[in-house]
Amino acid sequence: MDISPDGKTLAYLVEVLTSERQNGVEKIALLDLATLHSPHLMDVNPRISSGAQFTPDGKAVAYCVRDNGVDNIWIQPIDGSPGRQMTKFDAEQILSFHWSPDGKSLGMLRGHTDSDVVLLQESKL
C-alpha cells in the first residue's frame, strides 16, 4: 500500500475474480481517501510481482514485474495511459525500492535465492 504525495489517494494491489478465469486478475485499486467511494481499478501488467508505490509527482504508480525470474520496475500512469518498463535488469529480483525525498533518485534492494536439492535414499547394506 502507498499514499499519494498529496495524501488524498491510497493505492493497493487487489485480485479481481472473473467468471472466465479460475484465479483472479491483479489490478491496482486507487481509493479516494476523502470520499471512500468504490476505488478506481487500474489494469496492470499481468506479471506484476509487488504492490504499487506512487511516483514522486503522484501522476503514476510504480511496481515490479517478474519475467523469467527477473524483476524490473514498471511505471503505470493513473490517467489510464499505457505503462512502460523503467529498468532493464537481466538478472535477480527486486526485494524493495524507494524514491529519494527529492524524487530525483530511486534506490532498490536486489537479490536472488539459491537452493539445492538433495536426494536421500534408504540403502541396504
Side-chain angles (χ1 to χ4, degrees):
M1 279 193 225
D2 195 30
I3 295 178
S4 61
D6 64 7
K8 295 180 179 181
T9 307
L10 178 68
Y12 56 98
L13 192 60
V14 295
E15 184 177 16
V16 178
L17 300 177
T18 64
S19 59
E20 299 88 39
R21 296 179 57 162
Q22 189 172 17
N23 52 352
V25 175
E26 301 282 355
K27 293 189 181 269
I28 292 175
L30 299 175
L31 178 64
D32 182 325
L33 294 173
T35 65
L36 299 178
H37 288 140
S38 296
H40 168 71
L41 299 178
M42 291 177 48
D43 291 327
V44 294
N45 187 301
R47 298 177 316 247
I48 188 170
S49 65
S50 72
Q53 293 184 32
F54 278 96
T55 55
D57 63 5
K59 294 180 180 179
V61 291
Y63 55 88
C64 292
V65 169
R66 184 164 298 153
D67 189 19
N68 293 322
V70 178
D71 283 347
N72 278 287
I73 295 176
W74 281 64
I75 301 293
Q76 184 81 35
I78 61 174
D79 67 5
S81 55
R84 65 177 171 82
Q85 187 173 340
M86 182 180 163
T87 61
K88 301 243 187 244
F89 297 119
D90 59 8
E92 300 197 325
Q93 297 169 355
I94 298 172
L95 306 174
S96 67
F97 66 95
H98 298 281
W99 304 98
S100 63
D102 65 4
K104 294 180 181 179
S105 299
L106 179 66
M108 65 186 73
L109 177 61
R110 296 176 58 224
H112 63 274
T113 303
D114 290 325
S115 61
D116 294 317
V117 176
V118 177
L119 176 63
L120 300 174
Q121 291 182 351
E122 182 180 335
S123 63
K124 296 181 181 180
L125 296 175

